[in-house]
Amino acid sequence: MPKKTDAREKAVRTAARLFQLHGYHGTGLAQIIEESGCPKGSFYYHFPQGKEQLGLADDEMEALFNRTEAQSRGAPSYLRTLTRGLSQRLEVSDYCEGYLLAGLAFEAGSASARLSAACSQSYRRWNRRICEALKTFGLSAGEAASAASAIVSALSGAMLVCRAEKSSRALDELGSVLSRWLNR
């Protein structure tokens, strides 16, 4: 039986940190492999397409969605919990990390069609996760789809403002406004 390692998780965490600190183009594949301590063979086993494939393996965001859904008792609670979780991701790194997707989407726009498509897919995944949660909490399919699209855009903007201000204010206010809106 093959030995299970944490090489994939180490590479994902290291790449996410480096992409957020130095940008996608400012981070080399050799740097990711070296800093993660991931053997080169293991790295290419998990990411045969290299850095481009690794760019959006945001396991922490999936975990945040799962925790948020499990802890929430309704749509307002879900949105407060989600915005608080996103704030905590930013706070832990003094607002230097925590929102990988925006930087990658910005850099990928002109550099890589495949990375740009992966960014789009990640935003659609966020949208789908939020839409499904809102339907679970009683919104109709149409209401949930419209709300999820607006919420993803608002979250993205608020996270950028939080990074610029080095403060969670924008996400905290957004969580409050969205939960009041859905509580009407």
Side-chain angles (χ1 to χ4, degrees):
M1 180 171 182
K3 180 180 157 188
K4 183 170 170 86
T5 70
D6 61 350
R8 181 188 183 284
E9 291 79 17
K10 284 181 181 178
V12 168
R13 280 193 312 270
T14 301
R17 180 178 53 79
L18 293 172
F19 291 160
Q20 291 174 89
L21 293 175
H22 307 295
Y24 178 79
H25 296 296
T27 301
L29 187 55
Q31 181 183 16
I32 295 168
I33 292 170
E34 181 181 331
E35 288 195 28
S36 70
C38 180
K40 199 177 224 181
S42 293
F43 179 88
Y44 282 108
Y45 171 79
H46 293 291
F47 305 101
Q49 296 167 354
K51 185 171 88 166
E52 203 168 60
Q53 183 180 8
L54 177 60
L56 290 166
D58 193 355
D59 298 345
E60 286 183 29
M61 193 64 197
E62 285 300 311
L64 175 61
F65 278 125
N66 292 337
R67 280 192 312 275
T68 299
E69 290 164 11
Q71 294 171 4
S72 301
R73 304 258 187 270
S77 166
Y78 173 80
L79 291 170
R80 282 192 308 275
T81 303
L82 182 59
T83 55
R84 189 69 217 135
L86 293 170
S87 292
Q88 289 169 343
R89 283 178 57 142
L90 292 166
E91 290 165 357
V92 164
S93 68
D94 195 30
Y95 302 92
C96 294
E97 300 175 37
Y99 188 31
L100 173 62
L101 189 51
L104 288 176
F106 183 76
E107 281 191 77
S110 61
S112 164
R114 190 167 35 188
L115 188 57
S116 184
C119 289
S120 178
Q121 181 181 0
S122 288
Y123 279 120
R124 283 193 308 273
R125 186 172 45 253
W126 283 30
N127 196 312
R128 187 173 48 253
R129 293 294 301 262
I130 292 170
C131 181
E132 291 303 315
L134 293 176
K135 287 192 302 189
T136 299
F137 297 125
L139 272 73
S140 71
E143 288 175 317
S146 294
S149 180
I151 290 166
V152 168
S153 296
L155 288 171
S156 296
M159 290 172 70
L160 290 174
V161 170
C162 288
R163 283 198 65 180
E165 292 181 346
K166 293 199 176 283
S167 163
S168 296
R169 180 196 56 79
L171 274 168
D172 294 341
E173 289 176 358
L174 179 62
S176 179
V177 167
L178 289 174
S179 62
R180 280 195 313 270
W181 171 65
L182 285 171
N183 212 13
R184 56 178 165 72

